[in-house]
Amino acid sequence: QVQLVESGGGLVQAGGSLRLSCAASGRTFSNYVMGWFRQAPGKEREFVAGITRSGGNAIYTDSVQGRYTISRDNAKNTVYLQMNSLKPEDTAVYYCAASVLIRTATERIDYSYWGQGTQVTVSS
């Protein structure tokens, strides 16, 4: 198993930036495809970004493309989500997740391990 702990959430004004971190422990971090999801009040949890095991490729949902950047440091067992030009509609609890698949994945069912989430609130 792998344990995931997110940090870096908070309150920011529209147009601002935040950097989320997700620290992993347990099994070999580089064996996992990593992803970020978010869940706004009253909405389903949705895919935000994913990154391959090596960090060489990343994918994003359309609404964050060009504003968010996912990255990972396998030496530090950490995945990051840099969020720029934040909008009020980005407000949600953000979760990191780990997948044993060998490709990037966008569905919740593809991810086996989840963190507890970190709140991001963007004020207008």
Side-chain angles (χ1 to χ4, degrees):
Q1 288 192 352
V2 61
Q3 292 77 43
L4 304 172
V5 179
E6 303 96 334
S7 61
L11 174 64
V12 63
Q13 288 189 333
S17 298
L18 281 174
R19 188 194 196 200
L20 306 183
S21 299
C22 174
S25 61
R27 296 288 182 88
T28 304
F29 179 66
S30 59
N31 286 345
Y32 296 91
V33 165
M34 298 300 295
W36 285 95
F37 287 72
R38 66 186 180 186
Q39 187 167 16
K43 295 188 177 181
E44 295 290 318
R45 191 173 301 187
E46 65 172 350
F47 173 80
V48 174
I51 191 166
T52 54
R53 293 181 293 181
S54 68
N57 287 287
I59 56 174
Y60 302 89
T61 192
D62 288 347
S63 63
V64 308
Q65 183 77 46
R67 299 189 297 122
Y68 288 16
T69 303
I70 187 172
S71 62
R72 66 190 295 164
D73 185 337
N74 286 342
K76 296 183 177 179
N77 293 348
T78 302
V79 63
Y80 305 97
L81 186 67
Q82 178 67 44
M83 306 184 295
N84 298 328
S85 302
L86 283 162
K87 305 175 181 180
E89 52 263 43
D90 295 319
T91 295
V93 177
Y94 282 71
Y95 299 88
C96 75
S99 171
V100 299
L101 298 178
I102 61 172
R103 55 166 176 80
T104 49
T106 62
E107 301 296 327
R108 288 181 60 180
I109 196 172
D110 293 328
Y111 289 83
S112 303
Y113 306 102
W114 294 83
Q116 83 289 348
T118 186
Q119 176 71 47
V120 171
T121 303
V122 184
S123 64
S124 58

